[in-house]
Amino acid sequence: GQVLLSKTSFGGEARFACDEGFLLDGPDILHCTARGIWSGSVPECLSIVKCPPLLLEDNDGRAPIIYATERGPILRSLTSYDVGVMAEVRCLPQFALTDDNLLTCLENGQWDLPLPECVPVPPTTTPTPELRSNLIIRVNRRPDVQFWKHLRDYLYHGCIPSTVPGRQLSLFCYSASGTIAGNNWTDLSGFTLQKDAPAVTNIDVKLLGFLMRTVKPDANRLVPENLLHYILYGTVERIPPEMRYPLHIENAYRFVICQFIDIILMDRELNYDDELLVDIRQEENTNTKIKHLLKNVAQVVYQQYHHLLEERNARETAALKKIIELAEGMHPVGTSSTRTATSTTTAATPKRCPVSHLPSPPIDSHVIAVELRTATQPDEWRFEKLLYSGLQADPGDRIQYGCDAGFSMRGSGVTVCGPDGRWAVVEGFCEGAVCENPPNRPNMLIAPESRDRQYYVDDE
Protein backbone atom coordinates (compact mmCIF):
# COMPACT_ATOMS: atom_id res chain seq x y z
CA GLY A 1 0.00 0.00 0.00
CA GLN A 2 0.87 3.71 0.03
CA VAL A 3 0.64 6.62 2.47
CA LEU A 4 0.72 10.33 1.59
CA LEU A 5 1.67 12.82 4.33
CA SER A 6 0.82 16.53 4.14
CA LYS A 7 2.91 17.24 7.23
CA THR A 8 3.77 15.48 10.46
CA SER A 9 2.86 18.32 12.85
CA PHE A 10 -0.47 19.39 14.29
CA GLY A 11 -3.16 19.50 11.59
CA GLY A 12 -1.27 17.24 9.22
CA GLU A 13 -3.02 14.44 7.31
CA ALA A 14 -1.99 10.91 6.40
CA ARG A 15 -3.91 9.43 3.44
CA PHE A 16 -3.77 5.66 2.93
CA ALA A 17 -4.34 3.65 -0.26
CA CYS A 18 -3.87 0.00 -1.25
CA ASP A 19 -2.34 -1.56 -4.34
CA GLU A 20 -4.50 -3.21 -6.96
CA GLY A 21 -5.94 -6.46 -5.65
CA PHE A 22 -6.15 -5.23 -2.03
CA LEU A 23 -8.89 -3.58 0.08
CA LEU A 24 -8.26 -1.03 2.86
CA ASP A 25 -9.32 -2.24 6.32
CA GLY A 26 -9.68 0.85 8.51
CA PRO A 27 -9.84 4.64 8.02
CA ASP A 28 -8.28 6.05 4.85
CA ILE A 29 -7.33 9.37 6.55
CA LEU A 30 -5.69 10.01 9.91
CA HIS A 31 -5.06 13.47 11.49
CA CYS A 32 -2.24 14.62 13.70
CA THR A 33 -3.86 15.85 16.93
CA ALA A 34 -2.77 18.57 19.37
CA ARG A 35 -1.59 15.82 21.69
CA GLY A 36 1.02 14.77 19.11
CA ILE A 37 -0.60 11.44 18.21
CA TRP A 38 -2.55 10.31 15.19
CA SER A 39 -6.31 10.16 15.38
CA GLY A 40 -6.55 6.36 14.89
CA SER A 41 -4.78 3.07 14.23
CA VAL A 42 -2.95 2.51 10.98
CA PRO A 43 -5.23 0.57 8.55
CA GLU A 44 -4.24 -2.66 6.80
CA CYS A 45 -4.44 -3.71 3.16
CA LEU A 46 -6.23 -7.03 2.80
CA SER A 47 -5.69 -9.10 -0.32
CA ILE A 48 -8.67 -9.77 -2.56
CA VAL A 49 -6.71 -12.41 -4.54
CA LYS A 50 -5.57 -15.43 -2.55
CA CYS A 51 -3.50 -18.55 -3.24
CA PRO A 52 -4.72 -22.04 -2.34
CA PRO A 53 -2.71 -24.02 0.21
CA LEU A 54 -0.02 -26.29 -1.19
CA LEU A 55 -1.16 -29.91 -1.09
CA LEU A 56 1.16 -32.69 0.05
CA GLU A 57 0.74 -36.34 -0.83
CA ASP A 58 1.16 -39.33 1.42
CA ASN A 59 4.71 -40.65 1.64
CA ASP A 60 6.09 -37.93 -0.66
CA GLY A 61 9.01 -37.16 1.66
CA ARG A 62 7.94 -33.59 2.45
CA ALA A 63 7.67 -32.17 5.95
CA PRO A 64 4.75 -29.82 6.87
CA ILE A 65 5.02 -26.53 4.97
CA ILE A 66 5.81 -23.31 6.87
CA TYR A 67 3.81 -20.23 5.73
CA ALA A 68 5.01 -16.76 6.72
CA THR A 69 4.68 -13.03 6.04
CA GLU A 70 7.13 -10.21 6.73
CA ARG A 71 5.79 -10.15 10.30
CA GLY A 72 6.69 -13.81 10.92
CA PRO A 73 5.27 -17.34 10.60
CA ILE A 74 1.54 -17.97 10.23
CA LEU A 75 0.87 -20.27 13.14
CA ARG A 76 -2.37 -21.84 11.94
CA SER A 77 -3.53 -23.52 8.73
CA LEU A 78 -5.70 -21.36 6.47
CA THR A 79 -7.99 -22.17 3.58
CA SER A 80 -6.17 -19.55 1.45
CA TYR A 81 -3.15 -17.25 1.66
CA ASP A 82 -2.74 -13.58 0.80
CA VAL A 83 -0.56 -12.20 -1.95
CA GLY A 84 3.02 -11.93 -0.73
CA VAL A 85 2.80 -14.85 1.70
CA MET A 86 5.84 -17.10 1.46
CA ALA A 87 5.81 -20.91 1.77
CA GLU A 88 8.93 -22.85 2.80
CA VAL A 89 9.01 -26.49 1.65
CA ARG A 90 11.18 -28.85 3.70
CA CYS A 91 12.06 -32.54 3.42
CA LEU A 92 11.91 -35.30 5.99
CA PRO A 93 15.18 -36.95 7.08
CA GLN A 94 16.74 -39.20 4.41
CA PHE A 95 15.10 -37.12 1.65
CA ALA A 96 16.62 -34.31 -0.42
CA LEU A 97 15.14 -31.34 -2.29
CA THR A 98 15.34 -31.19 -6.07
CA ASP A 99 14.43 -27.50 -6.69
CA ASP A 100 14.00 -24.11 -4.99
CA ASN A 101 11.99 -24.50 -1.80
CA LEU A 102 10.81 -20.92 -1.13
CA LEU A 103 7.54 -20.08 -2.92
CA THR A 104 5.65 -16.77 -2.97
CA CYS A 105 1.94 -16.11 -3.57
CA LEU A 106 1.59 -13.87 -6.65
CA GLU A 107 -1.08 -11.32 -7.58
CA ASN A 108 -2.68 -13.78 -10.02
CA GLY A 109 -3.53 -16.16 -7.19
CA GLN A 110 -0.79 -18.65 -8.08
CA TRP A 111 2.44 -19.64 -6.39
CA ASP A 112 5.48 -18.43 -8.30
CA LEU A 113 7.21 -21.85 -8.48
CA PRO A 114 6.06 -25.46 -8.75
CA LEU A 115 6.09 -27.52 -5.58
CA PRO A 116 9.59 -29.05 -5.37
CA GLU A 117 10.04 -32.79 -4.88
CA CYS A 118 11.76 -34.56 -2.02
CA VAL A 119 13.61 -37.61 -3.36
CA PRO A 120 14.84 -40.53 -1.24
CA VAL A 121 18.54 -40.62 -0.46
CA PRO A 122 19.39 -44.35 -0.24
CA PRO A 123 22.74 -45.43 1.20
CA THR A 124 24.25 -45.98 -2.24
CA THR A 125 23.34 -42.57 -3.63
CA THR A 126 26.71 -40.95 -2.93
CA PRO A 127 29.18 -42.08 -5.63
CA THR A 128 32.41 -43.62 -4.38
CA PRO A 129 35.71 -41.88 -5.24
CA GLU A 130 36.41 -44.73 -7.66
CA LEU A 131 33.09 -44.16 -9.42
CA ARG A 132 33.66 -40.41 -9.70
CA SER A 133 36.99 -40.99 -11.44
CA ASN A 134 35.82 -43.85 -13.65
CA LEU A 135 32.76 -42.98 -15.70
CA ILE A 136 33.91 -44.80 -18.82
CA ILE A 137 31.51 -47.50 -20.02
CA ARG A 138 31.45 -49.92 -22.96
CA VAL A 139 28.19 -50.22 -24.93
CA ASN A 140 27.06 -51.82 -28.19
CA ARG A 141 26.54 -49.38 -31.03
CA ARG A 142 23.60 -51.25 -32.62
CA PRO A 143 20.86 -52.62 -30.34
CA ASP A 144 19.49 -56.16 -30.24
CA VAL A 145 16.01 -55.16 -31.42
CA GLN A 146 14.12 -58.12 -29.97
CA PHE A 147 15.71 -57.75 -26.54
CA TRP A 148 14.87 -54.04 -26.29
CA LYS A 149 11.32 -54.63 -27.52
CA HIS A 150 10.81 -57.32 -24.87
CA LEU A 151 12.25 -55.03 -22.19
CA ARG A 152 10.07 -52.11 -23.30
CA ASP A 153 6.91 -54.25 -23.34
CA TYR A 154 7.82 -55.57 -19.90
CA LEU A 155 8.23 -52.07 -18.44
CA TYR A 156 5.37 -50.46 -20.35
CA HIS A 157 2.60 -53.09 -20.31
CA GLY A 158 3.54 -55.22 -17.30
CA CYS A 159 2.59 -58.90 -17.19
CA ILE A 160 -1.20 -58.78 -17.13
CA PRO A 161 -2.55 -60.70 -20.18
CA SER A 162 -3.79 -58.23 -22.79
CA THR A 163 -7.08 -58.23 -24.67
CA VAL A 164 -5.53 -56.24 -27.52
CA PRO A 165 -5.18 -58.42 -30.66
CA GLY A 166 -1.57 -59.18 -31.53
CA ARG A 167 -0.04 -58.12 -28.22
CA GLN A 168 1.83 -60.88 -26.43
CA LEU A 169 3.44 -60.83 -23.03
CA SER A 170 7.13 -60.03 -22.81
CA LEU A 171 9.53 -62.93 -22.49
CA PHE A 172 10.53 -61.45 -19.11
CA CYS A 173 7.03 -62.23 -17.80
CA TYR A 174 7.64 -65.99 -17.84
CA SER A 175 9.37 -68.19 -15.29
CA ALA A 176 11.76 -71.01 -16.17
CA SER A 177 8.80 -73.41 -16.30
CA GLY A 178 6.88 -71.20 -18.71
CA THR A 179 4.30 -69.86 -16.25
CA ILE A 180 3.52 -66.15 -15.92
CA ALA A 181 5.58 -64.85 -12.99
CA GLY A 182 6.44 -61.23 -13.70
CA ASN A 183 5.68 -57.86 -12.16
CA ASN A 184 2.33 -56.39 -11.12
CA TRP A 185 2.79 -53.06 -12.87
CA THR A 186 -0.17 -51.31 -14.41
CA ASP A 187 -0.34 -50.94 -18.18
CA LEU A 188 0.88 -47.46 -19.19
CA SER A 189 -1.28 -47.32 -22.33
CA GLY A 190 -2.89 -43.87 -22.32
CA PHE A 191 -0.44 -42.52 -19.69
CA THR A 192 0.93 -39.00 -20.25
CA LEU A 193 3.19 -36.87 -18.08
CA GLN A 194 0.97 -33.81 -18.52
CA LYS A 195 -2.18 -35.63 -17.38
CA ASP A 196 -0.93 -38.22 -14.89
CA ALA A 197 2.19 -36.59 -13.38
CA PRO A 198 1.98 -32.82 -14.03
CA ALA A 199 4.05 -31.90 -10.96
CA VAL A 200 7.09 -33.91 -12.05
CA THR A 201 9.52 -31.46 -13.67
CA ASN A 202 12.94 -31.93 -15.31
CA ILE A 203 12.38 -35.67 -15.22
CA ASP A 204 15.10 -36.40 -17.79
CA VAL A 205 17.74 -34.60 -15.70
CA LYS A 206 16.63 -36.45 -12.57
CA LEU A 207 16.67 -39.77 -14.41
CA LEU A 208 20.23 -39.04 -15.54
CA GLY A 209 21.20 -38.46 -11.91
CA PHE A 210 19.75 -41.85 -10.96
CA LEU A 211 21.51 -43.63 -13.84
CA MET A 212 24.86 -42.14 -12.87
CA ARG A 213 24.70 -44.41 -9.79
CA THR A 214 24.38 -47.52 -12.00
CA VAL A 215 27.72 -47.33 -13.83
CA LYS A 216 28.82 -50.45 -11.92
CA PRO A 217 25.58 -52.52 -11.78
CA ASP A 218 25.19 -55.39 -9.33
CA ALA A 219 25.62 -58.30 -11.76
CA ASN A 220 24.85 -60.94 -9.13
CA ARG A 221 21.48 -59.66 -7.93
CA LEU A 222 20.14 -57.43 -10.70
CA VAL A 223 17.20 -59.10 -12.50
CA PRO A 224 14.38 -57.77 -14.72
CA GLU A 225 11.99 -57.66 -11.73
CA ASN A 226 14.15 -55.18 -9.79
CA LEU A 227 15.69 -53.23 -12.69
CA LEU A 228 13.36 -50.23 -12.28
CA HIS A 229 13.79 -50.34 -8.48
CA TYR A 230 17.58 -50.36 -8.91
CA ILE A 231 17.52 -47.38 -11.27
CA LEU A 232 15.24 -45.28 -9.04
CA TYR A 233 16.68 -46.13 -5.63
CA GLY A 234 20.27 -47.16 -6.37
CA THR A 235 19.93 -50.53 -4.64
CA VAL A 236 18.28 -53.93 -5.10
CA GLU A 237 17.41 -54.03 -1.40
CA ARG A 238 13.84 -53.46 -0.26
CA ILE A 239 12.93 -49.82 0.43
CA PRO A 240 10.42 -49.03 3.23
CA PRO A 241 7.07 -47.81 1.84
CA GLU A 242 7.51 -44.36 3.37
CA MET A 243 10.80 -44.00 1.46
CA ARG A 244 9.33 -44.85 -1.92
CA TYR A 245 7.98 -42.42 -4.48
CA PRO A 246 4.22 -42.20 -4.90
CA LEU A 247 2.99 -44.66 -7.51
CA HIS A 248 2.29 -42.03 -10.17
CA ILE A 249 5.88 -40.75 -9.92
CA GLU A 250 7.32 -44.27 -10.30
CA ASN A 251 5.05 -44.68 -13.32
CA ALA A 252 6.32 -41.39 -14.73
CA TYR A 253 9.93 -42.61 -14.59
CA ARG A 254 8.91 -45.98 -16.05
CA PHE A 255 7.17 -44.14 -18.90
CA VAL A 256 10.22 -41.96 -19.64
CA ILE A 257 12.58 -44.97 -19.57
CA CYS A 258 10.37 -46.59 -22.23
CA GLN A 259 10.64 -43.42 -24.32
CA PHE A 260 14.43 -43.67 -24.17
CA ILE A 261 14.25 -47.34 -25.19
CA ASP A 262 12.42 -46.11 -28.30
CA ILE A 263 15.39 -43.79 -28.92
CA ILE A 264 17.78 -46.73 -28.54
CA LEU A 265 15.74 -48.72 -31.08
CA MET A 266 16.22 -45.92 -33.61
CA ASP A 267 19.84 -47.14 -33.95
CA ARG A 268 18.62 -50.45 -35.43
CA GLU A 269 19.62 -49.37 -38.96
CA LEU A 270 23.30 -49.07 -38.10
CA ASN A 271 25.23 -51.54 -40.20
CA TYR A 272 27.97 -52.39 -37.73
CA ASP A 273 27.95 -54.23 -34.42
CA ASP A 274 31.10 -52.79 -32.87
CA GLU A 275 31.28 -51.47 -29.31
CA LEU A 276 31.74 -47.89 -28.18
CA LEU A 277 33.93 -46.78 -25.30
CA VAL A 278 32.03 -43.82 -23.82
CA ASP A 279 33.30 -41.34 -21.25
CA ILE A 280 30.12 -40.02 -19.66
CA ARG A 281 31.95 -36.97 -18.29
CA GLN A 282 32.88 -35.84 -21.81
CA GLU A 283 29.39 -36.28 -23.29
CA GLU A 284 27.41 -33.02 -23.28
CA ASN A 285 23.97 -34.13 -24.48
CA THR A 286 21.66 -35.33 -21.66
CA ASN A 287 19.64 -37.65 -23.90
CA THR A 288 22.79 -39.32 -25.25
CA LYS A 289 24.09 -39.83 -21.71
CA ILE A 290 20.82 -41.46 -20.66
CA LYS A 291 20.83 -43.71 -23.73
CA HIS A 292 24.36 -44.96 -23.07
CA LEU A 293 23.76 -45.45 -19.34
CA LEU A 294 20.54 -47.41 -20.01
CA LYS A 295 22.46 -49.68 -22.39
CA ASN A 296 25.10 -50.15 -19.72
CA VAL A 297 22.76 -51.11 -16.87
CA ALA A 298 20.68 -53.36 -19.15
CA GLN A 299 23.70 -55.48 -20.13
CA VAL A 300 23.17 -57.64 -17.03
CA VAL A 301 19.52 -58.22 -17.96
CA TYR A 302 20.58 -58.92 -21.56
CA GLN A 303 22.53 -61.98 -20.43
CA GLN A 304 19.44 -63.25 -18.60
CA TYR A 305 17.34 -62.61 -21.73
CA HIS A 306 19.45 -65.09 -23.69
CA HIS A 307 19.03 -67.63 -20.90
CA LEU A 308 15.23 -67.17 -20.98
CA LEU A 309 15.28 -67.49 -24.76
CA GLU A 310 17.16 -70.78 -24.56
CA GLU A 311 14.76 -72.12 -21.93
CA ARG A 312 11.72 -71.21 -24.02
CA ASN A 313 13.17 -72.79 -27.16
CA ALA A 314 13.97 -75.96 -25.18
CA ARG A 315 10.38 -76.15 -23.86
CA GLU A 316 8.90 -75.67 -27.32
CA THR A 317 11.25 -78.25 -28.86
CA ALA A 318 10.38 -80.82 -26.18
CA ALA A 319 6.63 -80.20 -26.58
CA LEU A 320 6.82 -80.47 -30.37
CA LYS A 321 8.81 -83.71 -30.09
CA LYS A 322 6.15 -85.17 -27.79
CA ILE A 323 3.37 -84.23 -30.21
CA ILE A 324 5.21 -85.89 -33.09
CA GLU A 325 5.72 -89.05 -31.03
CA LEU A 326 2.03 -89.19 -30.13
CA ALA A 327 1.01 -88.57 -33.74
CA GLU A 328 3.24 -91.37 -35.00
CA GLY A 329 1.68 -93.77 -32.49
CA MET A 330 -1.87 -93.12 -33.73
CA HIS A 331 -3.64 -95.35 -36.34
CA PRO A 332 -6.57 -94.35 -38.57
CA VAL A 333 -9.93 -95.73 -37.43
CA GLY A 334 -10.84 -99.13 -38.99
CA THR A 335 -7.31 -100.08 -40.17
CA SER A 336 -6.56 -102.43 -37.29
CA SER A 337 -8.79 -105.29 -36.26
CA THR A 338 -6.66 -106.27 -33.30
CA ARG A 339 -7.56 -103.18 -31.27
CA THR A 340 -10.86 -102.74 -29.57
CA ALA A 341 -12.58 -99.44 -29.01
CA THR A 342 -11.60 -99.52 -25.37
CA SER A 343 -7.92 -100.10 -26.09
CA THR A 344 -7.50 -97.50 -28.82
CA THR A 345 -4.89 -94.91 -27.83
CA THR A 346 -5.60 -91.28 -28.72
CA ALA A 347 -3.14 -88.42 -28.62
CA ALA A 348 -3.86 -85.16 -26.89
CA THR A 349 -5.01 -82.48 -29.30
CA PRO A 350 -2.25 -79.84 -29.65
CA LYS A 351 -3.15 -76.25 -28.86
CA ARG A 352 -3.84 -73.91 -31.76
CA CYS A 353 -2.59 -70.37 -32.06
CA PRO A 354 -5.18 -67.58 -32.48
CA VAL A 355 -4.12 -65.47 -35.45
CA SER A 356 -5.40 -62.46 -33.46
CA HIS A 357 -2.41 -63.01 -31.14
CA LEU A 358 0.21 -62.60 -33.86
CA PRO A 359 3.29 -60.70 -32.65
CA SER A 360 3.73 -57.25 -34.12
CA PRO A 361 5.73 -57.23 -37.36
CA PRO A 362 9.19 -55.64 -37.46
CA ILE A 363 9.19 -51.90 -38.07
CA ASP A 364 9.13 -51.01 -41.82
CA SER A 365 7.82 -54.48 -42.78
CA HIS A 366 4.66 -56.16 -44.09
CA VAL A 367 3.24 -59.67 -44.50
CA ILE A 368 4.61 -61.49 -47.57
CA ALA A 369 3.65 -65.13 -46.94
CA VAL A 370 0.94 -66.93 -44.96
CA GLU A 371 1.15 -70.69 -44.49
CA LEU A 372 -2.06 -71.66 -42.68
CA ARG A 373 -3.52 -75.10 -43.29
CA THR A 374 -6.96 -73.86 -42.25
CA ALA A 375 -7.17 -70.86 -44.61
CA THR A 376 -7.45 -70.28 -48.32
CA GLN A 377 -4.91 -67.90 -49.81
CA PRO A 378 -6.32 -64.48 -50.82
CA ASP A 379 -4.63 -62.29 -53.38
CA GLU A 380 -2.99 -60.26 -50.61
CA TRP A 381 -2.73 -60.60 -46.81
CA ARG A 382 -2.37 -57.53 -44.65
CA PHE A 383 -1.38 -57.71 -40.96
CA GLU A 384 -4.57 -55.93 -39.83
CA LYS A 385 -6.70 -58.28 -41.93
CA LEU A 386 -5.03 -61.29 -40.31
CA LEU A 387 -5.62 -59.96 -36.78
CA TYR A 388 -9.36 -59.70 -37.30
CA SER A 389 -9.79 -62.79 -39.52
CA GLY A 390 -10.83 -65.03 -36.61
CA LEU A 391 -8.54 -67.81 -37.93
CA GLN A 392 -6.75 -70.42 -35.82
CA ALA A 393 -3.31 -71.74 -36.76
CA ASP A 394 -2.02 -75.28 -36.22
CA PRO A 395 1.44 -75.95 -34.71
CA GLY A 396 4.02 -75.44 -37.42
CA ASP A 397 1.99 -72.87 -39.40
CA ARG A 398 4.08 -69.86 -40.39
CA ILE A 399 3.72 -66.16 -41.14
CA GLN A 400 6.60 -64.45 -42.92
CA TYR A 401 7.31 -60.73 -43.03
CA GLY A 402 9.26 -58.85 -45.67
CA CYS A 403 10.66 -55.33 -45.60
CA ASP A 404 9.25 -52.26 -47.31
CA ALA A 405 11.04 -50.68 -50.26
CA GLY A 406 14.44 -49.33 -49.29
CA PHE A 407 14.94 -51.87 -46.48
CA SER A 408 16.32 -55.39 -46.25
CA MET A 409 15.56 -58.11 -43.68
CA ARG A 410 18.28 -59.15 -41.27
CA GLY A 411 17.08 -62.50 -39.89
CA SER A 412 14.35 -64.89 -40.97
CA GLY A 413 11.41 -62.53 -40.50
CA VAL A 414 9.27 -65.57 -39.63
CA THR A 415 6.95 -66.36 -36.73
CA VAL A 416 5.81 -69.95 -36.19
CA CYS A 417 2.83 -71.31 -34.25
CA GLY A 418 4.24 -73.33 -31.34
CA PRO A 419 2.78 -76.45 -29.74
CA ASP A 420 1.85 -74.45 -26.64
CA GLY A 421 -0.57 -72.28 -28.62
CA ARG A 422 1.74 -69.23 -28.73
CA TRP A 423 3.43 -67.58 -31.67
CA ALA A 424 7.21 -67.41 -31.62
CA VAL A 425 8.90 -64.00 -31.50
CA VAL A 426 9.75 -62.69 -34.96
CA GLU A 427 13.49 -63.10 -35.38
CA GLY A 428 14.81 -60.26 -37.51
CA PHE A 429 14.46 -56.59 -38.29
CA CYS A 430 14.43 -54.31 -41.33
CA GLU A 431 17.66 -52.51 -42.08
CA GLY A 432 17.85 -49.48 -44.33
CA ALA A 433 19.42 -50.17 -47.69
CA VAL A 434 22.98 -48.85 -47.89
CA CYS A 435 23.86 -46.53 -50.74
CA GLU A 436 27.27 -46.03 -52.28
CA ASN A 437 29.23 -42.89 -51.51
CA PRO A 438 27.90 -39.82 -53.34
CA PRO A 439 29.52 -39.25 -56.76
CA ASN A 440 32.31 -36.72 -57.01
CA ARG A 441 31.79 -33.82 -59.38
CA PRO A 442 34.34 -31.21 -60.39
CA ASN A 443 34.51 -28.29 -57.96
CA MET A 444 32.00 -30.00 -55.65
CA LEU A 445 32.58 -30.59 -51.94
CA ILE A 446 30.39 -32.41 -49.40
CA ALA A 447 29.78 -30.39 -46.26
CA PRO A 448 31.62 -31.96 -43.29
CA GLU A 449 28.40 -32.20 -41.23
CA SER A 450 26.79 -34.26 -44.04
CA ARG A 451 29.58 -36.83 -44.28
CA ASP A 452 28.94 -40.28 -42.87
CA ARG A 453 30.50 -43.73 -42.93
CA GLN A 454 27.38 -45.13 -44.62
CA TYR A 455 24.30 -43.68 -46.31
CA TYR A 456 20.76 -45.02 -46.16
CA VAL A 457 17.61 -44.52 -48.21
CA ASP A 458 16.28 -40.92 -47.86
CA ASP A 459 19.64 -39.62 -46.61
CA GLU A 460 20.47 -36.25 -48.14
Side-chain angles (χ1 to χ4, degrees):
Q2 300 173 350
V3 58
L4 297 177
L5 296 171
S6 61
K7 61 179 180 177
T8 56
S9 58
F10 175 69
E13 289 185 348
R15 294 181 177 270
F16 297 90
C18 293
D19 296 336
E20 185 178 353
F22 292 82
L23 288 177
L24 192 66
D25 182 22
D28 60 345
I29 299 177
L30 295 179
H31 298 92
C32 183
T33 65
R35 292 181 296 170
I37 60 173
W38 293 99
S39 58
S41 301
V42 177
E44 293 185 8
C45 290
L46 301 180
S47 173
I48 300 174
V49 180
K50 295 179 182 292
C51 291
L54 297 165
L55 299 179
L56 303 182
E57 300 179 2
D58 294 337
N59 302 327
D60 65 1
R62 301 184 183 99
I65 294 175
I66 296 176
Y67 297 94
T69 66
E70 294 177 352
R71 297 187 181 94
I74 300 174
L75 300 179
R76 59 190 180 91
S77 298
L78 303 177
T79 57
S80 60
Y81 293 92
D82 294 341
V83 172
V85 168
M86 293 172 287
E88 182 184 3
V89 182
R90 302 167 301 148
C91 294
L92 295 171
Q94 299 181 342
F95 286 80
L97 281 162
T98 59
D99 295 294
D100 293 337
N101 70 323
L102 195 61
L103 286 65
T104 303
C105 179
L106 299 179
E107 295 177 358
N108 59 2
Q110 302 292 327
W111 299 97
D112 63 340
L113 296 172
L115 189 65
E117 294 180 48
C118 290
V119 299
V121 184
T124 57
T125 297
T126 304
T128 63
E130 177 188 1
L131 188 57
R132 289 195 198 101
S133 61
N134 184 16
L135 290 176
I136 298 175
I137 58 176
R138 188 183 298 273
V139 295
N140 279 34
R141 189 187 297 265
R142 185 171 65 183
D144 183 324
V145 174
Q146 294 304 324
F147 162 73
W148 286 104
K149 284 184 176 180
H150 275 290
L151 184 59
R152 185 192 184 281
D153 287 348
Y154 180 69
L155 293 171
Y156 195 86
H157 298 298
C159 293
I160 301 174
S162 173
T163 57
V164 177
R167 181 188 297 168
Q168 292 185 318
L169 292 180
S170 165
L171 185 62
F172 294 117
C173 289
Y174 294 95
S175 66
S177 61
T179 59
I180 298 177
N183 56 60
N184 58 354
W185 292 328
T186 55
D187 193 331
L188 290 180
S189 298
F191 182 96
T192 65
L193 294 176
Q194 294 79 5
K195 172 174 65 72
D196 299 292
V200 183
T201 57
N202 300 322
I203 191 168
D204 54 341
V205 176
K206 296 169 187 173
L207 177 60
L208 175 59
F210 296 152
L211 287 169
M212 293 289 282
R213 305 183 306 216
T214 68
V215 174
K216 300 290 185 182
D218 188 341
N220 295 321
R221 295 191 295 169
L222 186 60
V223 294
E225 291 89 338
N226 61 27
L227 176 62
L228 178 68
H229 183 95
Y230 180 66
I231 291 174
L232 294 185
Y233 302 107
T235 178
V236 296
E237 302 293 344
R238 182 180 177 275
I239 296 292
E242 62 272 13
M243 291 283 292
R244 294 179 66 100
Y245 291 119
L247 181 60
H248 74 280
I249 293 182
E250 286 193 349
N251 286 341
Y253 282 107
R254 183 157 58 99
F255 178 81
V256 172
I257 289 172
C258 290
Q259 288 184 319
F260 276 98
I261 291 178
D262 289 336
I263 294 175
I264 290 173
L265 285 169
M266 292 175 64
D267 290 339
R268 69 188 186 279
E269 294 183 7
L270 295 175
N271 201 32
Y272 30 85
D273 292 318
D274 58 327
E275 290 186 334
L276 285 177
L277 205 60
V278 180
D279 188 342
I280 298 298
R281 295 168 299 182
Q282 302 300 320
E283 180 60 55
E284 296 181 356
N285 185 278
T286 297
N287 289 354
T288 303
K289 286 183 178 180
I290 293 176
K291 183 176 75 169
H292 289 324
L293 287 167
L294 269 179
K295 286 184 177 182
N296 178 68
V297 73
Q299 286 179 0
V300 177
V301 179
Y302 183 59
Q303 297 168 7
Q304 299 169 29
Y305 163 76
H306 280 288
H307 184 62
L308 289 170
L309 205 57
E310 291 171 359
E311 289 178 340
R312 188 191 66 178
N313 292 339
R315 290 195 305 270
E316 293 180 351
T317 300
L320 185 59
K321 182 178 179 181
K322 185 175 181 180
I323 290 173
I324 293 173
E325 290 174 351
L326 290 172
E328 289 176 347
M330 294 178 62
H331 294 273
V333 177
T335 59
S336 174
S337 58
T338 61
R339 295 191 181 188
T340 63
T342 58
S343 63
T344 301
T345 302
T346 58
T349 303
K351 293 182 179 180
R352 307 179 78 188
C353 301
V355 176
S356 61
H357 292 175
L358 270 175
S360 300
I363 299 173
D364 301 317
S365 72
H366 57 277
V367 176
I368 61 171
V370 177
E371 299 178 12
L372 299 179
R373 282 165 276 185
T374 58
T376 57
Q377 297 292 327
D379 295 335
E380 179 184 2
W381 278 113
R382 290 182 297 106
F383 180 71
E384 293 78 10
K385 186 174 181 179
L386 281 170
L387 288 183
Y388 297 99
S389 65
L391 294 173
Q392 298 280 332
D394 293 317
D397 285 354
R398 298 154 49 93
I399 307 291
Q400 184 172 6
Y401 299 102
C403 296
D404 298 338
F407 296 85
S408 59
M409 179 66 71
R410 286 181 63 90
S412 64
V414 172
T415 180
V416 181
C417 174
D420 57 353
R422 297 204 303 263
W423 291 96
V425 175
V426 181
E427 298 295 338
F429 63 94
C430 291
E431 177 183 71
V434 179
C435 299
E436 296 179 355
N437 289 331
N440 289 324
R441 300 281 178 85
N443 301 320
M444 183 187 78
L445 294 175
I446 299 176
E449 61 270 17
S450 297
R451 291 184 180 275
D452 204 344
R453 292 175 59 180
Q454 291 180 322
Y455 301 90
Y456 298 93
V457 172
D458 295 330
D459 278 355
E460 297 180 351

